[in-house]
Amino acid sequence: MKIVCIGGGPAGLYLALLMKQLDPAHDLTVVERNKPYDTFGWGVVFSDATMDNMRQWDRATADEIEQAFNHWDDIELLFKGRRIRSGGHGFVGIGRKKLLNILQARCELLGVKLVFETEADSDADYPDADLVIASDGINSRIRAKYADRFRPDIVTRPNRFIWLGTHKLYDAFTFDFQRTEHGWFQAHIYKFDENTTTFIVECPENVWRAHGLDQADQEQSIAFCEKVFEGNLQGAKLMTNARHLRGSAWLNFQRVVCDQWWLRNPHGSHVVLMGDAVHTAHFAIGSGTKLAIEDAIELTRQFKLLGDSKEHIPEVLAAYQEARRVETLRIQNAAWNAMEWFEVCGLRYCDQLDPEQFMYSMLTRSQRISHENLRLRDAGWLEDYERWFAQHAGVAVADAAKPPPPMFTPYTVRGLTLKNRIVVSPMAQYSAVDGVPGDYHLVHLGARAMGGAGLVFAEMSCVSAEGRITPGCPGLYKPEHTTAFKRIADWIHTHTDAKFAIQIGHAGAKASTRLAWDGIDQPLESGNWPIISASPQQYLEGVSQTAREMTLADMQLVKEQFVASTRAADAAGADWLELHCAHGYLLSSFISPLTNQRTDGYGGSLANRLRYPLEVFAAVRAAWPQDKPMSVRISAHDWVEGGITPEDAVQVARAFKEAGADMIDCSSGQVSKKEKPVYGRMFQTPFADRIRQEAGIPTIAVGAISEADHANSILAAGRADLCAVARPHLANPAWTLTEAAKIGYTPLAWPKQYRSAKPQMEANFAREKALKA
């Protein structure tokens, strides 16, 4: 085959040498616009796993790289006058120039033709090529030429960064955060050869402009960075090798994702994108070079598997794209999480978090590293951090004793202390009769209280018969409802040390529907009752009843119903009250612009849309005992264009905080059937994190939290204060006890009736863990 690689970066060079090694008869050319053995940039980073992969495919190149790279395990944080270090992270750093020189020399040795100082404007310049590798970087001309077929999604991110170097040497991957009068700057620092260190400085656009760096040339920018990080540099100078860039060397990162990776051009040649031309990963996790190298390995692998001749090219390229797409998206998602963390850390974490928690948050920023993964990397550091976390939760831990995991530390709100931070979410059961919770609810909630959670929520209890979602939903509007809930509360308080919570709400336009298993959200076949909402609407267009707009008289009546239910919840013995303002129910319908089209003082701006929910909250808070906590559940994202956004949710949370809310329960969606949520593990936790830091109010994280590792990671990083677990608690009432045994936390007390099972479960999990190890 005749193969031309346009672009002499890691992707093109490594692909060329691997394919030449696979069959020396292949005609391989790499076209590069720079001079021989010349390149721009400082150090690059990739993982130990990538090095292992390279050893399998070309040992000679891997050995030479290994002689040149710098390997380190430690990450060090410089923050608020503190120096904190954690080990076991396994990075490889090498100068970009050195890496490319090694690859260039290896290509020459194998017989690959290297053409330098040549601008390859187009794949059309090589009409006789069987395969053109477009490894021409983030600004790929070939990708742009065929944009309608590659369908790139290119997003320019807001932070500014400048890629510098220094001769000061560091023995750890170092992050330095410095506050200026206009905001925070951060530096990403790593040594890549015996003389030189990469020193990337990053800051938000507004901070960059406030310091006049948009008007600064390279020398002025370097002088500025030396001043900001003078305590770290200790007289060492910063330097640039970006003289080829005009004006400022400050850049914005561009995230590139392509829908299609290859095509056949009009000349009959196949063209495939590789490296930064097809995908980029932010330097916050240092995976750009890793992706490029592994692209080359995978394409070669497919040629080896399917046949390395030109008739196999379409099959090979299709298999290559399929094989790389999932792994690439996984890394890009992790890089996106890490990138976003650095973009918002000045707003969200730098001022809010203590150095210890800031370090934990930074280490877990990509969500690829979890709590237990940190234990594998550096058990000593994590144990010290768990001790710090426990002490801040009011738990005295002796120096020789092991601290409890974060999920098993207590949490105090007003006059209530929860034994741990796991919450059984309110989950609709559709099993009440005329609003009365019966034996089913006693068994259901009692079992989960026995299962180890600190707080157990009953499902949403409706403030009126008309406010029920279904005829099977419980209420708090008749004396018999209070009596039934008191029976449950008394049982939980007598037989367990869990606390009992009641969530009150009104279904609004989502009322008068069938039981979930008979057709969720479908109107009743008979016996429907009139429904109300902030504005006229149908939840299911063309199917649901049409809710009428509430009058001021309706609003007064419903507010009084909420107050009456609040008093009933107190009389029933509930320890905690939550006001339901989410999921398109009545109070939520006022907040979201998708469901509130009112023209009076309760519609229009977000402040106006919040008026009625805040009036209800104020009345409820006044009726609820001052020593008992009260939370508010909100939909932090409608997942529909024009709906509530996470930015809006911060404003919503601030409003409820000012009104006296103790905590925000951060859910999302279910406001409109047009929603397009992005699911995944812990997918709603970012809402809890943002609201907690920016609105300054404690939060409950909900959504796809299914393991102790998830909960501990969320809590330890300060992304939320409590973790609500729903479906896993349906599958296993004793989820909390089970997860404690699974992670080897044995001090957790079990109900006395179940204690004989505790050592057996713990031994079984310990045996499983030993076998896996």
Side-chain angles (χ1 to χ4, degrees):
M1 286 188 296
K2 183 176 178 61
I3 302 173
V4 176
C5 300
I6 298 177
L13 289 168
Y14 201 59
L15 185 280
L17 72 86
L18 290 182
M19 288 299 294
K20 192 69 173 177
Q21 189 173 248
L22 186 64
D23 185 349
H26 291 320
D27 181 350
L28 277 142
T29 303
V30 177
V31 183
E32 169 58 40
R33 66 182 179 179
N34 292 319
K35 296 177 182 178
Y37 295 91
D38 187 18
T39 184
F40 298 100
W42 295 104
V44 295
V45 175
F46 44 96
S47 66
D48 287 348
T50 302
M51 277 305 306
D52 290 340
N53 216 357
M54 293 178 77
R55 288 187 194 99
Q56 294 176 28
W57 282 88
D58 183 35
R59 185 79 199 204
T61 301
D63 286 347
E64 193 170 352
I65 290 172
E66 198 161 10
Q67 292 298 314
F69 70 47
N70 281 268
H71 182 277
W72 65 93
D73 283 327
D74 290 357
I75 291 177
E76 185 166 272
L77 169 69
L78 306 176
F79 181 61
K80 295 181 178 177
R82 295 281 303 283
R83 185 182 296 269
I84 302 175
R85 183 177 286 222
S86 167
H89 299 283
F91 294 96
V92 174
I94 186 171
R96 177 175 169 82
K97 182 173 182 177
K98 181 66 174 177
L99 174 64
L100 295 189
N101 290 169
I102 290 170
L103 297 178
Q104 289 163 358
R106 180 72 173 146
C107 281
E108 289 177 334
L109 183 66
L110 291 170
V112 175
K113 285 176 279 189
L114 302 182
V115 179
F116 293 99
E117 298 183 78
T118 300
E119 286 282 358
D121 292 324
S122 170
D123 55 301
D125 296 343
Y126 306 94
D128 58 339
D130 299 306
L131 178 62
V132 175
I133 307 295
S135 51
D136 52 343
I138 192 169
N139 298 312
S140 171
R141 294 179 181 179
I142 294 174
R143 185 189 66 221
K145 176 181 176 181
Y146 296 109
D148 60 328
R149 296 173 67 183
F150 287 129
R151 297 185 294 279
D153 177 18
I154 303 174
V155 179
T156 300
R157 299 305 300 172
N159 267 23
R160 291 282 180 165
F161 69 93
I162 184 168
W163 206 295
L164 303 173
T166 179
H167 289 310
K168 178 177 168 62
L169 302 181
Y170 296 76
D171 63 352
F173 199 129
T174 302
F175 295 95
D176 188 352
F177 293 79
Q178 295 295 329
R179 201 185 205 297
T180 69
E181 65 269 30
H182 297 301
W184 287 86
F185 283 78
Q186 57 255 15
H188 310 240
I189 308 165
Y190 55 91
K191 174 185 170 184
F192 63 84
D193 65 26
E194 64 275 11
N195 300 311
T196 327
T197 294
T198 289
F199 205 104
I200 307 169
V201 178
E202 182 185 12
C203 67
E205 176 90 8
N206 65 306
V207 176
W208 180 73
R209 290 188 180 279
H211 280 287
L213 293 168
D214 55 326
Q215 304 296 319
D217 61 23
Q218 290 191 39
E219 294 303 324
Q220 290 168 329
S221 292
I222 290 170
F224 176 84
C225 292
E226 287 174 345
K227 180 67 176 174
V228 170
F229 295 99
E230 62 183 346
N232 179 347
L233 289 166
Q234 296 179 324
K237 295 296 183 181
L238 293 174
M239 49 194 178
T240 180
N241 63 2
R243 304 297 179 190
H244 59 297
L245 296 177
R246 294 180 180 178
S248 172
W250 293 87
L251 304 172
N252 294 90
F253 175 74
Q254 288 189 313
R255 195 286 312 269
V256 176
V257 176
C258 290
D259 188 50
Q260 178 65 21
W261 293 26
W262 63 279
L263 53 80
R264 190 164 191 170
N265 70 16
H267 301 283
S269 300
H270 287 87
V271 181
V272 62
L273 302 175
M274 288 182 61
D276 283 351
V278 68
H279 47 56
T280 56
H282 192 262
F283 56 82
I285 66 168
S287 289
T289 304
K290 168 189 171 70
L291 286 173
I293 292 290
E294 293 182 351
D295 282 351
I297 289 172
E298 187 58 44
L299 185 54
T300 307
R301 187 200 315 276
Q302 294 303 329
F303 272 117
K304 186 175 181 180
L305 287 173
L306 302 175
D308 62 332
S309 56
K310 60 184 178 182
E311 62 267 22
H312 292 105
I313 290 176
E315 181 185 7
V316 166
L317 296 184
Y320 159 71
Q321 176 174 327
E322 186 62 27
R324 287 296 290 151
R325 181 190 294 277
V326 173
E327 173 64 10
T328 296
L329 285 176
R330 185 184 70 81
I331 291 173
Q332 282 190 302
N333 286 340
W336 185 275
N337 292 335
M339 172 193 70
E340 282 195 321
W341 190 93
F342 281 106
E343 287 174 352
V344 302
C345 64
L347 172 67
R348 201 173 293 172
Y349 306 117
C350 289
D351 292 316
Q352 291 87 334
L353 301 184
D354 290 328
E356 291 83 357
Q357 192 163 53
F358 187 86
M359 176 69 159
Y360 186 102
S361 179
M362 186 185 74
L363 291 176
T364 58
R365 64 192 181 275
S366 72
Q367 296 184 24
R368 289 193 306 172
I369 298 175
S370 68
H371 197 75
E372 292 308 313
N373 186 261
L374 278 176
R375 198 181 307 281
L376 291 174
R377 291 168 181 245
D378 191 342
W381 180 86
L382 184 64
E383 185 172 315
D384 285 345
Y385 179 69
E386 287 179 328
R387 180 172 286 103
W388 177 91
F389 190 94
Q391 289 170 345
H392 278 69
V395 179
V397 182
D399 289 343
K402 282 193 173 294
M407 65 187 279
F408 293 114
T409 60
Y411 189 77
T412 299
V413 194
R414 294 190 185 243
L416 183 73
T417 297
L418 304 178
K419 64 177 179 179
N420 63 48
R421 296 175 185 240
I422 298 302
V423 176
V424 176
S425 277
M427 294 174 283
Q429 300 296 293
Y430 310 107
S431 299
V433 178
D434 193 24
V436 178
D439 290 347
Y440 171 84
H441 296 84
L442 176 66
V443 173
H444 168 68
L445 295 168
R448 279 138 193 90
M450 293 278 279
L455 183 66
V456 176
F457 263 99
E459 64 200 273
M460 183 175 86
S461 302
C462 304
V463 299
S464 67
E466 297 76 22
R468 290 175 298 162
I469 311 166
T470 75
C473 291
L476 261 176
Y477 51 87
K478 291 182 178 180
E480 50 265 42
H481 301 156
T482 306
T483 301
F485 272 117
K486 188 174 189 310
R487 177 183 176 223
I488 294 168
D490 288 348
W491 194 96
I492 289 173
H493 291 149
T494 299
H495 296 283
T496 81
D497 54 1
K499 303 302 180 183
F500 179 55
I502 288 179
Q503 182 190 72
I504 57 172
H506 188 298
K510 297 172 76 172
S512 189
T513 62
R514 303 176 200 176
L515 306 184
W517 42 84
D518 292 332
I520 191 166
D521 295 325
Q522 298 292 318
L524 294 171
E525 293 179 345
S526 63
N528 283 287
W529 57 83
I531 58 177
I532 56 176
S533 186
S535 299
Q537 64 153 311
Q538 283 182 300
Y539 181 61
L540 298 180
E541 198 170 327
V543 175
S544 299
Q545 289 188 80
T546 299
R548 69 170 175 81
E549 180 171 296
M550 291 181 74
T551 65
L552 295 180
D554 292 328
M555 292 163 66
Q556 179 62 30
L557 174 62
V558 170
K559 181 168 68 173
E560 291 169 358
Q561 290 170 342
F562 270 99
V563 170
S565 292
T566 299
R567 294 194 174 110
D570 182 40
D575 304 297
W576 185 299
L577 188 72
E578 182 163 280
L579 185 66
H580 204 322
C581 295
H583 301 165
Y585 296 134
L586 184 68
L587 298 181
S588 169
S589 74
F590 276 86
I591 298 172
S592 175
L594 300 175
T595 48
N596 184 340
Q597 286 86 45
R598 298 178 72 98
T599 57
D600 62 5
Y602 293 94
S605 68
L606 178 58
N608 281 1
R609 299 196 310 271
L610 276 167
R611 275 185 65 195
Y612 184 60
L614 288 171
E615 287 175 6
V616 172
F617 176 87
V620 166
R621 180 67 263 188
W624 185 242
Q626 287 301 301
D627 64 336
K628 290 186 179 184
M630 187 174 166
S631 56
V632 179
R633 173 165 280 208
I634 67 169
S635 285
H637 198 330
D638 285 346
W639 302 106
V640 178
E641 188 174 351
I644 288 292
T645 66
E647 184 177 3
D648 295 327
V650 173
Q651 302 305 316
V652 172
R654 282 181 180 146
F656 279 112
K657 175 190 176 184
E658 290 169 7
D662 298 300
M663 189 168 280
I664 301 297
D665 189 352
C666 302
S667 189
S668 71
Q670 301 178 51
V671 171
S672 167
K673 280 299 184 182
K674 296 177 182 177
E675 67 183 7
K676 294 181 180 179
V678 180
Y679 294 113
R681 61 187 177 90
M682 304 181 288
F683 74 105
Q684 295 182 132
T685 297
F687 308 141
D689 185 11
R690 181 171 186 173
I691 287 169
R692 184 180 191 267
Q693 315 307 340
E694 293 186 23
I697 184 171
T699 57
I700 304 174
V702 307
I705 300 168
S706 58
E707 304 172 12
D709 206 20
H710 295 166
N712 283 322
S713 298
I714 292 166
L715 297 165
R719 297 185 176 105
D721 300 272
L722 302 176
C723 286
V725 178
R727 289 177 178 86
H729 270 131
L730 290 181
N732 181 4
W735 181 87
T736 306
L737 300 180
T738 304
E739 289 299 306
K742 194 177 290 184
I743 63 173
Y745 181 63
T746 59
L748 185 66
W750 281 42
K752 57 181 179 290
Q753 297 90 339
Y754 298 164
R755 283 177 193 162
S756 61
K758 182 174 185 283
Q760 183 181 37
M761 178 182 277
E762 291 168 349
N764 287 343
F765 281 126
R767 192 177 302 114
E768 285 180 21
K769 189 174 182 180
L771 287 172
K772 285 180 182 178

